[in-house]
mmCIF file of all heavy atoms in Angstrom:
data_model
loop_
_atom_site.group_PDB
_atom_site.id
_atom_site.type_symbol
_atom_site.label_atom_id
_atom_site.label_comp_id
_atom_site.label_asym_id
_atom_site.label_seq_id
_atom_site.Cartn_x
_atom_site.Cartn_y
_atom_site.Cartn_z
ATOM 1 N N LYS A 404 25.838 8.547 -1.107
ATOM 2 C CA LYS A 404 25.685 9.322 -2.335
ATOM 3 C C LYS A 404 26.617 10.527 -2.355
ATOM 4 O O LYS A 404 27.211 10.858 -3.363
ATOM 5 C CB LYS A 404 24.243 9.782 -2.503
ATOM 6 C CG LYS A 404 23.282 8.625 -2.752
ATOM 7 C CD LYS A 404 21.881 9.139 -2.875
ATOM 8 C CE LYS A 404 20.902 8.006 -3.083
ATOM 9 N NZ LYS A 404 19.541 8.431 -3.145
ATOM 10 N N THR A 427 50.222 15.277 -11.615
ATOM 11 C CA THR A 427 49.395 14.142 -11.207
ATOM 12 C C THR A 427 50.304 13.034 -10.725
ATOM 13 O O THR A 427 50.122 11.862 -11.037
ATOM 14 C CB THR A 427 48.540 13.646 -12.395
ATOM 15 O OG1 THR A 427 49.416 13.313 -13.477
ATOM 16 C CG2 THR A 427 47.553 14.712 -12.841
ATOM 17 N N SER A 435 43.286 8.476 -4.441
ATOM 18 C CA SER A 435 42.003 8.485 -5.140
ATOM 19 C C SER A 435 41.539 7.083 -5.508
ATOM 20 O O SER A 435 40.372 6.757 -5.427
ATOM 21 C CB SER A 435 42.090 9.348 -6.396
ATOM 22 O OG SER A 435 43.030 8.793 -7.300
ATOM 23 N N ALA A 441 36.439 1.577 -2.750
ATOM 24 C CA ALA A 441 35.753 1.238 -1.506
ATOM 25 C C ALA A 441 34.353 1.809 -1.476
ATOM 26 O O ALA A 441 33.427 1.184 -0.987
ATOM 27 C CB ALA A 441 36.570 1.764 -0.317
ATOM 28 N N THR A 448 24.672 -2.775 -8.926
ATOM 29 C CA THR A 448 25.216 -2.619 -10.260
ATOM 30 C C THR A 448 24.353 -3.364 -11.257
ATOM 31 O O THR A 448 23.660 -4.313 -10.919
ATOM 32 C CB THR A 448 26.658 -3.144 -10.353
ATOM 33 O OG1 THR A 448 26.659 -4.525 -9.968
ATOM 34 C CG2 THR A 448 27.594 -2.357 -9.456
ATOM 35 N N SER A 467 -2.403 12.967 4.953
ATOM 36 C CA SER A 467 -1.232 13.053 5.825
ATOM 37 C C SER A 467 -1.475 12.513 7.231
ATOM 38 O O SER A 467 -0.528 12.171 7.932
ATOM 39 C CB SER A 467 -0.747 14.505 5.920
ATOM 40 O OG SER A 467 -1.783 15.341 6.410
ATOM 41 N N ALA A 477 8.192 5.784 5.361
ATOM 42 C CA ALA A 477 9.219 4.874 5.862
ATOM 43 C C ALA A 477 9.900 4.127 4.711
ATOM 44 O O ALA A 477 11.123 3.967 4.692
ATOM 45 C CB ALA A 477 8.600 3.879 6.841
ATOM 46 N N THR A 484 17.904 6.228 1.186
ATOM 47 C CA THR A 484 19.125 6.120 1.986
ATOM 48 C C THR A 484 20.019 4.979 1.529
ATOM 49 O O THR A 484 21.237 5.119 1.463
ATOM 50 C CB THR A 484 18.765 5.909 3.473
ATOM 51 O OG1 THR A 484 17.947 6.993 3.924
ATOM 52 C CG2 THR A 484 20.014 5.818 4.338
ATOM 53 N N VAL A 513 5.788 4.524 -8.122
ATOM 54 C CA VAL A 513 5.472 3.442 -7.185
ATOM 55 C C VAL A 513 4.415 3.947 -6.215
ATOM 56 O O VAL A 513 4.402 5.134 -5.860
ATOM 57 C CB VAL A 513 6.725 2.996 -6.384
ATOM 58 C CG1 VAL A 513 6.385 1.871 -5.407
ATOM 59 C CG2 VAL A 513 7.847 2.564 -7.312
ATOM 60 N N ASN A 526 -7.463 -3.889 -15.493
ATOM 61 C CA ASN A 526 -8.440 -4.415 -16.445
ATOM 62 C C ASN A 526 -9.442 -3.382 -16.953
ATOM 63 O O ASN A 526 -10.303 -3.707 -17.781
ATOM 64 C CB ASN A 526 -9.179 -5.591 -15.809
ATOM 65 C CG ASN A 526 -8.269 -6.781 -15.564
ATOM 66 O OD1 ASN A 526 -7.925 -7.498 -16.487
ATOM 67 N ND2 ASN A 526 -7.860 -6.979 -14.312
ATOM 68 N N TYR A 536 -4.891 0.597 -17.192
ATOM 69 C CA TYR A 536 -3.438 0.707 -17.283
ATOM 70 C C TYR A 536 -2.900 -0.721 -17.312
ATOM 71 O O TYR A 536 -2.687 -1.347 -16.280
ATOM 72 C CB TYR A 536 -2.869 1.499 -16.120
ATOM 73 C CG TYR A 536 -1.348 1.583 -16.139
ATOM 74 C CD1 TYR A 536 -0.678 2.015 -17.282
ATOM 75 C CD2 TYR A 536 -0.592 1.214 -15.038
ATOM 76 C CE1 TYR A 536 0.701 2.074 -17.325
ATOM 77 C CE2 TYR A 536 0.795 1.281 -15.065
ATOM 78 C CZ TYR A 536 1.439 1.711 -16.212
ATOM 79 O OH TYR A 536 2.808 1.770 -16.264
ATOM 80 N N GLY A 537 -2.693 -1.222 -18.517
ATOM 81 C CA GLY A 537 -2.323 -2.616 -18.692
ATOM 82 C C GLY A 537 -0.902 -2.950 -18.315
ATOM 83 O O GLY A 537 -0.537 -4.135 -18.282
ATOM 84 N N VAL A 566 -28.727 -2.702 8.464
ATOM 85 C CA VAL A 566 -28.411 -1.322 8.091
ATOM 86 C C VAL A 566 -29.509 -0.717 7.214
ATOM 87 O O VAL A 566 -29.571 0.497 7.033
ATOM 88 C CB VAL A 566 -27.029 -1.275 7.378
ATOM 89 C CG1 VAL A 566 -26.691 0.138 6.905
ATOM 90 C CG2 VAL A 566 -25.928 -1.768 8.315
ATOM 91 N N GLY A 592 -27.807 -8.963 0.356
ATOM 92 C CA GLY A 592 -29.186 -8.975 -0.112
ATOM 93 C C GLY A 592 -29.881 -7.632 -0.128
ATOM 94 O O GLY A 592 -31.075 -7.550 -0.426
ATOM 95 N N PRO A 596 -27.641 1.800 -3.575
ATOM 96 C CA PRO A 596 -27.727 2.479 -2.273
ATOM 97 C C PRO A 596 -29.158 2.756 -1.808
ATOM 98 O O PRO A 596 -29.346 3.361 -0.751
ATOM 99 C CB PRO A 596 -26.998 3.799 -2.554
ATOM 100 C CG PRO A 596 -27.366 4.094 -3.986
ATOM 101 C CD PRO A 596 -27.440 2.760 -4.685
ATOM 102 N N ASP A 597 -30.143 2.316 -2.581
ATOM 103 C CA ASP A 597 -31.523 2.725 -2.309
ATOM 104 C C ASP A 597 -32.027 2.297 -0.947
ATOM 105 O O ASP A 597 -32.854 2.991 -0.337
ATOM 106 C CB ASP A 597 -32.451 2.180 -3.400
ATOM 107 C CG ASP A 597 -32.142 2.760 -4.781
ATOM 108 O OD1 ASP A 597 -31.483 3.817 -4.820
ATOM 109 O OD2 ASP A 597 -32.540 2.147 -5.785
ATOM 110 N N CYS A 601 -27.662 6.907 2.871
ATOM 111 C CA CYS A 601 -26.206 7.044 2.789
ATOM 112 C C CYS A 601 -25.727 8.447 3.153
ATOM 113 O O CYS A 601 -26.306 9.448 2.718
ATOM 114 C CB CYS A 601 -25.725 6.706 1.382
ATOM 115 S SG CYS A 601 -25.973 4.992 0.910
ATOM 116 N N MET A 612 -19.395 11.727 14.289
ATOM 117 C CA MET A 612 -20.846 11.600 14.219
ATOM 118 C C MET A 612 -21.346 10.337 14.927
ATOM 119 O O MET A 612 -22.427 10.326 15.520
ATOM 120 C CB MET A 612 -21.291 11.617 12.752
ATOM 121 C CG MET A 612 -21.008 12.958 12.069
ATOM 122 S SD MET A 612 -21.425 12.974 10.307
ATOM 123 C CE MET A 612 -23.227 13.045 10.390
ATOM 124 N N GLN A 614 -19.832 9.149 17.519
ATOM 125 C CA GLN A 614 -19.646 9.479 18.926
ATOM 126 C C GLN A 614 -20.807 10.294 19.469
ATOM 127 O O GLN A 614 -21.251 10.081 20.602
ATOM 128 C CB GLN A 614 -18.320 10.236 19.091
ATOM 129 C CG GLN A 614 -17.808 10.284 20.524
ATOM 130 C CD GLN A 614 -16.378 10.793 20.575
ATOM 131 O OE1 GLN A 614 -15.927 11.533 19.701
ATOM 132 N NE2 GLN A 614 -15.648 10.390 21.590
ATOM 133 N N MET A 624 -12.427 1.312 6.484
ATOM 134 C CA MET A 624 -11.463 0.336 5.979
ATOM 135 C C MET A 624 -10.078 0.808 6.334
ATOM 136 O O MET A 624 -9.574 1.792 5.801
ATOM 137 C CB MET A 624 -11.616 0.166 4.471
ATOM 138 C CG MET A 624 -10.870 -1.038 3.925
ATOM 139 S SD MET A 624 -11.099 -1.215 2.146
ATOM 140 C CE MET A 624 -10.608 -2.928 1.943
ATOM 141 N N SER A 625 -9.460 0.095 7.265
ATOM 142 C CA SER A 625 -8.152 0.519 7.763
ATOM 143 C C SER A 625 -7.543 -0.627 8.545
ATOM 144 O O SER A 625 -8.248 -1.549 8.976
ATOM 145 C CB SER A 625 -8.303 1.750 8.663
ATOM 146 O OG SER A 625 -7.060 2.142 9.196
ATOM 147 N N GLN A 634 -12.081 5.445 18.760
ATOM 148 C CA GLN A 634 -12.844 6.607 19.224
ATOM 149 C C GLN A 634 -14.324 6.273 19.332
ATOM 150 O O GLN A 634 -14.973 6.590 20.337
ATOM 151 C CB GLN A 634 -12.646 7.770 18.249
ATOM 152 C CG GLN A 634 -13.458 9.015 18.585
ATOM 153 C CD GLN A 634 -13.308 10.104 17.521
ATOM 154 O OE1 GLN A 634 -12.327 10.136 16.785
ATOM 155 N NE2 GLN A 634 -14.274 10.998 17.438
ATOM 156 N N SER A 651 -18.333 -15.673 1.588
ATOM 157 C CA SER A 651 -18.283 -16.677 0.520
ATOM 158 C C SER A 651 -18.889 -16.136 -0.770
ATOM 159 O O SER A 651 -18.377 -16.385 -1.875
ATOM 160 C CB SER A 651 -19.015 -17.946 0.949
ATOM 161 O OG SER A 651 -18.352 -18.572 2.026
ATOM 162 N N GLN A 654 -16.324 -13.858 -2.341
ATOM 163 C CA GLN A 654 -15.199 -14.588 -2.929
ATOM 164 C C GLN A 654 -15.584 -15.270 -4.236
ATOM 165 O O GLN A 654 -14.736 -15.446 -5.116
ATOM 166 C CB GLN A 654 -14.677 -15.623 -1.931
ATOM 167 C CG GLN A 654 -13.972 -15.012 -0.731
ATOM 168 C CD GLN A 654 -13.532 -16.058 0.275
ATOM 169 O OE1 GLN A 654 -14.298 -16.973 0.609
ATOM 170 N NE2 GLN A 654 -12.312 -15.941 0.769
ATOM 171 N N PRO A 658 -11.878 -11.882 -6.910
ATOM 172 C CA PRO A 658 -10.704 -12.691 -6.569
ATOM 173 C C PRO A 658 -9.842 -12.143 -5.427
ATOM 174 O O PRO A 658 -8.798 -12.723 -5.130
ATOM 175 C CB PRO A 658 -9.912 -12.689 -7.882
ATOM 176 C CG PRO A 658 -10.232 -11.372 -8.511
ATOM 177 C CD PRO A 658 -11.676 -11.094 -8.145
ATOM 178 N N GLN A 673 -14.657 -4.605 23.376
ATOM 179 C CA GLN A 673 -14.770 -5.700 22.409
ATOM 180 C C GLN A 673 -14.317 -6.993 23.102
ATOM 181 O O GLN A 673 -13.129 -7.271 23.208
ATOM 182 C CB GLN A 673 -13.908 -5.440 21.168
ATOM 183 C CG GLN A 673 -14.017 -6.537 20.110
ATOM 184 C CD GLN A 673 -12.824 -6.606 19.184
ATOM 185 O OE1 GLN A 673 -12.006 -5.699 19.124
ATOM 186 N NE2 GLN A 673 -12.687 -7.717 18.469
ATOM 187 N N ASN A 707 15.356 -5.164 4.807
ATOM 188 C CA ASN A 707 15.237 -4.215 5.918
ATOM 189 C C ASN A 707 13.839 -4.245 6.542
ATOM 190 O O ASN A 707 13.450 -3.296 7.219
ATOM 191 C CB ASN A 707 15.556 -2.806 5.419
ATOM 192 C CG ASN A 707 17.012 -2.621 5.056
ATOM 193 O OD1 ASN A 707 17.844 -2.310 5.894
ATOM 194 N ND2 ASN A 707 17.331 -2.825 3.784
ATOM 195 N N THR A 722 6.320 -11.088 5.454
ATOM 196 C CA THR A 722 7.297 -12.032 4.924
ATOM 197 C C THR A 722 7.201 -12.095 3.404
ATOM 198 O O THR A 722 6.114 -11.919 2.837
ATOM 199 C CB THR A 722 7.070 -13.445 5.481
ATOM 200 O OG1 THR A 722 5.813 -13.954 4.996
ATOM 201 C CG2 THR A 722 7.078 -13.442 7.010
ATOM 202 N N ILE A 730 -3.061 -11.641 -3.954
ATOM 203 C CA ILE A 730 -2.889 -10.368 -4.662
ATOM 204 C C ILE A 730 -3.732 -10.318 -5.934
ATOM 205 O O ILE A 730 -3.404 -9.619 -6.890
ATOM 206 C CB ILE A 730 -1.404 -10.081 -4.970
ATOM 207 C CG1 ILE A 730 -0.777 -11.200 -5.812
ATOM 208 C CG2 ILE A 730 -0.615 -9.874 -3.686
ATOM 209 C CD1 ILE A 730 0.640 -10.880 -6.298
#
Side-chain angles (χ1 to χ4, degrees):
K404 293 179 182 177
T427 57
S435 63
T448 58
S467 58
T484 302
V513 180
N526 294 284
Y536 177 52
V566 177
D597 296 341
C601 294
M612 295 176 74
Q614 197 169 26
M624 193 179 198
S625 178
Q634 177 185 337
S651 294
Q654 290 177 315
Q673 181 203 346
N707 291 274
T722 66
I730 58 173

